Amino acid sequence: MKTILELITDKLKAAFAECGYEEKYGIAGVSNRPDLCQFQCNGALALAKQYHKAPIAIAGEIAEKVSSDPFFSKVEAVNPGFLNISISPKALADYLEEMATAENLGYVPAGTGKTAIVDYGGANVAKPLHVGHLRPAIIGESVKRMLAFDGYEAIGDVHLGDWGLPMGLIITECRVRYPDLPYFDESYTGEYPKEPPFTISDLEQIYPYASAYSKEHEEYREAAHEATAQLQAGHRGYRALWQHILNVSKTDLKKNYDNLNVHFELWNGESDADHLIGPMVEDLKKRGIAHISEGAVVVDVKEETDKKEMPPCILVKSDGAAIYASTDLATLIDREAKYKPDKVIYVVDKRQGLHFEQVFRTARKAGIVRPETELFFLGNGTMNGSDGTPFKTRDGGVMRLEYLIRDISAKVLEKMSDRDMAADEAEEISGIVGLAALKYGDLSNQATKDYVFDVDRFASFEGNTGPYILYTMVRIKSILEKVAAAEGTGTDKIRNDVAFGENMLGVTDRTYGESEFGLMLALTGFAESVHKAVEEYAPHKICSYIYDLANAFNTFYHDNRILTQEDKSVQKEWIALIVLVLEALEKCLDLLAINVPEKM
Ligand code: ARG
């Protein structure tokens, strides 16, 4: 179905054409003066010069032309040449009726038949998820869901850091700790143990220890480099030990991402692309795209128009090791071969911007992706503490994600202490609400900007917060439950039952109350807002929509007694209306990957 702006634009375009003007000027937008009108069109101002006419005169002609259309309640030309537009209650009711019955609330997907890969998460094996991993995970999950909603086959890839020096360090430290294991016995030819020699807590201790130790001890560092090279060259024992590292770590990472409600279609790692690096480098050298510079293999990616320094993209270091950029390029080769994606979107810390610019330019120069493939770097800003630097624990360390979630849930639990609820129920609900507080607090900020993590603000039940949105939804659910109970049926029945029929919103012989009309109008923004959010990979635009919608609902709720409304046909309309509000909110929260409790 068409969006409300498309419907208005169609009518305006026809009017512009009928009055002898170019129709492209008949574009409607949402009014920036909601006190005066709901929608506006500034086309007459843009046209005036070309037609040597006063803009107000043109606007007047258009207003005259469309004002007899029952779709509008008022179209006014105002100085210097704006068109102020309001639509009629009937048009609004018809629109909502269509929205309520259409699939996906009438949203028309734009990506059907196309494939998008979202590279997000970016966790590293053997390292716990910490706050730095929060934003790419939750923004990426949302962007992926938005693209799927838009019709794309959307594939999320965690692109695990599972290769390179960190692996060599762990192997080296394991050799020190467990020297008798068969992985280190060069003469061993039997099968390696099925059970890993370490737990996840061992691993999480081993890696930082080895990393710090190697910085102080050259011999150890060299051993780690050697182990890395041997692992990559296929050393049998190291490969077997590395598999254990991978398995133990992945199991733990999956659990942690699951707790965040973040799920990946692909659990590929840097290692999966490794075998493609050698042939790629050879090919690029042969075609003269890569060349040797100071012993390294590089690709020049500088362009005339560059204002900033743009160093060459290094594919192989002078010591022969492949690096981050070559891995990302090889991964693109793999993705191209397997999925032929129309888009590849990377949700990664914005401080990696230069790396991705080099990778993208090399990929284009080398024809690794098709010219029409979109490569997009969605660089996320950091979550800061109140001191304006990346968020830390009280003692200055890196905060583990699970502790952060625990803290915010505890805050929510504190706020819910006056509820009449069993302790374990309150605990469970505060977990859902706490996570929503964290995710919404993040997603409502523009992805590229830094923001300050403020547990009190995020966990507040008022304002533009996760708990406020959830509370609004729970309130609607509770009304529906009461209605269902009064009618002796279930809420499912109420929700399905309440279609917008002729005897409901179609009835326009009664006038809508101001806040009722406001709520109806707020609902119509669904498709437009989601389209904008998808086009710009901007979950915060979905947050703005749902915040406006929740506010409009709460104003309506404050003004009207839904349960005791005596006119049953009016009550039915109201219920249909709030069911639609709930559905829009549910759809949006699903796009944000935020779960909703039954009560709170
Ligand atoms: N593991 C990397 C890091 O911790 C992030 C990976 C991002 N994705 C990518 N395709 N490079 O910095």
Side-chain angles (χ1 to χ4, degrees), residues 119-125 127 130 132-133 136 157-162 270 324-325 327-329 331 335 344-349 352 355-356 359 377:
D119 180 318
Y120 67 107
N124 297 310
V125 158
K127 290 193 221 171
H130 60 74
H133 294 109
D157 184 1
V158 65
H159 196 74
L160 214 55
D162 65 354
E270 295 178 353
Y324 198 41
T327 305
D328 265 323
L329 285 163
T331 303
R335 288 173 177 163
V344 186
I345 297 153
Y346 296 81
V347 187
V348 184
D349 190 310
Q352 294 194 21
H355 160 76
F356 283 101
V359 167
F377 175 60

Side-chain angles (χ1 to χ4, degrees), residues 125-127 165-166 169-170 202-212:
V125 158
K127 290 193 221 171
L165 187 59
L169 283 163
I170 296 171
D202 297 332
L203 265 188
E204 286 179 355
Q205 200 267 332
I206 289 174
Y207 174 68
Y209 175 85
S211 170

Side-chain angles (χ1 to χ4, degrees), residues 22-135:
E22 266 187 86
E23 65 162 34
K24 67 172 190 206
Y25 292 97
I27 307 268
V30 173
S31 161
N32 51 24
R33 286 291 305 273
D35 52 324
L36 297 179
C37 58
Q38 302 155 353
F39 302 95
Q40 67 185 56
C41 168
N42 304 339
L45 293 163
L47 266 179
K49 236 203 186 119
Q50 184 181 337
Y51 290 89
H52 305 290
K53 258 193 187 172
I56 187 74
I58 300 176
E61 290 169 48
I62 306 294
E64 166 102 43
K65 187 110 264 151
V66 297
S67 49
S68 60
D69 187 332
F71 191 87
F72 300 108
S73 62
K74 192 169 172 190
V75 179
E76 231 183 348
V78 294
N79 272 321
F82 299 115
L83 278 165
N84 287 356
I85 303 161
S86 291
I87 65 173
S88 69
K90 170 86 171 86
L92 189 49
D94 288 347
Y95 185 82
L96 294 188
E97 184 182 321
E98 207 184 331
M99 193 173 156
T101 43
E103 198 185 337
N104 285 327
L105 305 176
Y107 183 88
V108 181
T112 311
K114 295 190 193 155
T115 300
I117 294 182
V118 186
D119 180 318
Y120 67 107
N124 297 310
V125 158
K127 290 193 221 171
L129 288 183
H130 60 74
V131 290
H133 294 109
L134 177 75
R135 301 210 72 198

